[in-house]
Amino acid sequence: MDSVQSLDVLVASESLDGCLLQVSKFAQTVDSHFSMNVKETENHEDTLLQLIDGKGDLAAVSGEWWARNEDERVQVKLFLPRKDPTLVLVSEDKLEYIPKNGVVVANSPLIKRQILRARRDLSVVSSVQAINKEILDVEAVTALEDLRIDQEINGYVISRAMHELLPFKTRRHTLGIHKRVEERFKFIPQGLTGFVVLISRKGFQNHSLNRFNDNGAKIAFELEYMALGHIDNEIRPFVGVHAEQRKIGTILKEAEKYQSKQILSSLIQPNQIKLDGKIRIEVIMEIVSYDGRVTGKIERMFKPDDAISSVRNIIIEWNNLLETMTKDHPEEKRRNLPATQRILQIYPPENKK
């Protein structure tokens, strides 16, 4: 009879990013050769320190946290399947049906601009303005829900992980990436959200764990990390980045439904034969003006084998796009080109940088 391998997995109990819930579910799904014991810690920092001290075999942290706190004493062991990285709007109605001049609470500068892009009549305020709280924990969201019930606000935007932690039921509406209704806008997330990374001490050898690694999540994390690394910190709060491994059939159905010529041409050869392979990597990057009126976007699709070189090319295109859209261009008499003002204003005029 094969022995059962027992592994202790450290994870923060106070984290609001859904790590504890996702790891607990994962521990229940591993096969009979493994027994995963989930041990709760105070926060991600405590999780890392306990792992280094040998108090656990693996530690689970969010992809966002790991990107900011990579440590040479530990290594990434595997990625869990990515949770949907989109945010949700808690309200009685979908965004397009919120009453005119309604009020929505959202803390992300990018989401605020994306909401204004879809509904310029809405007033989008922060949680500090609404309830004088910056961090959206369960207590803060409960206060927002009270405002919504009292009809002082029409809705508020929170993460899916936070929604799962709420002790009460609410109606939620996805601020989605892929269009399912033609008139809806896409809400590209800020990148690196929805990932749970299991890390171990350097030298920890357990090759049997490799079969649990989600390669699609790993690729998406690496590409988003690479793209974000080339975006200036000043404008990063206003930039959306999303990488995803998708089936060609799903992409084609969506593209044909909404007549997306760019996507169709990238997936079908001139003789109308669909390209080989079952999957493609999709990468979307966008920046939205302060008032939501102008969007700069790059959307590309490529084979997994071409991922690194394709993202490098996307970064070059992105820099050229920003150069064109966010800067004033003086008159060029030699080329008979008139002076032009910037197309996309990142900051309000009074805060122009």
Side-chain angles (χ1 to χ4, degrees):
M1 182 177 177
D2 294 335
S3 60
V4 176
Q5 184 176 4
S6 180
L7 296 172
D8 292 331
V9 183
L10 304 167
V11 61
S13 59
E14 295 185 3
S15 170
L16 302 176
D17 49 31
C19 275
L20 177 59
L21 181 61
Q22 192 168 351
V23 170
S24 298
K25 289 180 178 178
F26 173 71
Q28 297 171 7
T29 60
V30 295
D31 57 44
S32 58
H33 298 292
F34 284 92
S35 173
M36 287 195 171
N37 307 310
V38 178
K39 292 188 173 183
E40 297 184 23
T41 63
E42 186 175 343
N43 51 48
H44 285 325
E45 290 76 13
D46 183 43
T47 299
L48 177 62
L49 292 175
Q50 288 199 35
L51 177 67
I52 293 170
D53 288 342
K55 296 180 180 178
D57 301 299
L58 300 168
V61 294
S62 72
E64 286 182 284
W65 186 90
W66 176 248
R68 296 191 304 267
N69 298 276
E70 286 187 78
D71 192 298
E72 62 182 11
R73 294 170 293 180
V74 297
Q75 62 186 358
V76 173
K77 194 61 187 174
L78 59 91
F79 284 83
L80 298 189
R82 187 180 195 179
K83 294 278 285 184
D84 190 329
T86 56
L87 299 176
V88 295
L89 170 68
V90 177
S91 68
E92 286 301 311
D93 298 299
K94 296 174 182 177
L95 182 64
E96 52 264 46
Y97 301 124
I98 286 179
K100 188 177 181 180
N101 301 321
V103 179
V104 174
V105 177
N107 281 348
S108 162
L110 175 62
I111 279 289
K112 178 178 180 179
R113 293 169 183 225
Q114 290 170 333
I115 290 173
L116 290 175
R117 177 174 63 188
R119 289 285 308 273
R120 211 160 289 137
D121 61 293
L122 296 181
S123 175
V124 188
V125 300
S126 69
S127 60
V128 173
Q129 293 171 291
I131 56 174
N132 199 31
K133 289 191 176 183
E134 185 174 358
I135 305 299
L136 287 181
D137 54 16
V138 172
E139 181 183 356
V141 176
T142 301
L144 289 177
E145 179 64 9
D146 290 339
L147 290 181
R148 191 184 71 81
I149 291 172
D150 293 339
Q151 298 185 353
E152 294 186 38
I153 63 173
N154 296 93
Y156 51 89
V157 177
I158 56 176
S159 67
R160 289 177 177 274
M162 171 52 63
H163 190 271
E164 290 179 342
L165 295 174
L166 297 179
F168 51 86
K169 292 184 178 180
T170 63
R171 293 192 67 182
R172 73 178 191 186
H173 310 281
T174 299
L175 299 176
I177 298 168
H178 305 299
K179 294 202 315 185
R180 292 180 177 84
V181 178
E182 190 170 5
E183 65 269 19
R184 286 191 190 170
F185 285 92
K186 293 183 178 181
F187 288 82
I188 310 304
Q190 285 191 280
L192 301 180
T193 55
F195 294 104
V196 173
V197 184
L198 292 187
I199 57 177
S200 68
R201 291 180 299 280
K202 284 283 182 69
F204 178 80
Q205 298 294 329
N206 193 321
H207 299 296
S208 55
L209 279 174
N210 292 342
R211 68 179 182 273
F212 298 118
N213 186 60
D214 190 291
N215 195 52
K218 179 178 182 293
I219 292 172
F221 178 86
E222 291 173 348
L223 297 183
E224 289 181 17
Y225 182 82
M226 181 178 174
L228 286 169
H230 289 81
I231 295 174
D232 290 342
N233 288 333
E234 276 190 3
I235 67 169
R236 200 159 159 177
F238 318 120
V239 174
V241 178
H242 182 69
E244 184 179 357
Q245 186 171 278
R246 304 182 68 196
K247 293 181 180 179
I248 283 183
T250 303
I251 300 168
L252 279 172
K253 286 179 183 177
E254 184 179 297
E256 289 169 352
K257 183 176 181 180
Y258 301 115
Q259 294 299 302
S260 179
K261 294 180 181 179
Q262 181 180 1
I263 294 176
L264 287 170
S265 63
S266 69
L267 294 177
I268 300 179
Q269 295 173 336
N271 56 5
Q272 298 299 304
I273 299 175
K274 293 178 183 178
L275 293 174
D276 60 338
K278 295 182 179 180
I279 60 173
R280 287 291 184 271
I281 303 294
E282 179 182 45
V283 172
I284 307 172
M285 296 178 67
E286 76 170 15
I287 185 168
V288 185
S289 65
Y290 75 94
D291 56 3
R293 291 177 181 272
V294 181
T295 299
K297 177 182 285 188
I298 291 177
E299 190 167 354
R300 296 290 180 269
M301 220 161 278
F302 41 83
K303 295 180 181 179
D305 291 344
D306 301 330
I308 300 300
S309 60
S310 295
V311 170
R312 286 177 181 153
N313 291 333
I314 288 171
I315 291 167
I316 294 172
E317 289 183 62
W318 175 260
N319 290 331
N320 290 337
L321 179 71
L322 288 184
E323 177 75 22
T324 302
M325 296 190 71
T326 65
K327 293 186 178 181
D328 298 328
H329 298 275
E331 180 184 6
E332 293 188 38
K333 293 183 179 180
R334 292 179 60 185
R335 299 173 62 189
N336 199 28
L337 295 175
T340 57
Q341 292 184 333
R342 66 189 67 187
I343 302 168
L344 190 153
Q345 293 275 2
I346 299 178
Y347 306 99
E350 64 271 18
N351 297 324
K352 192 182 295 183
K353 296 190 177 183

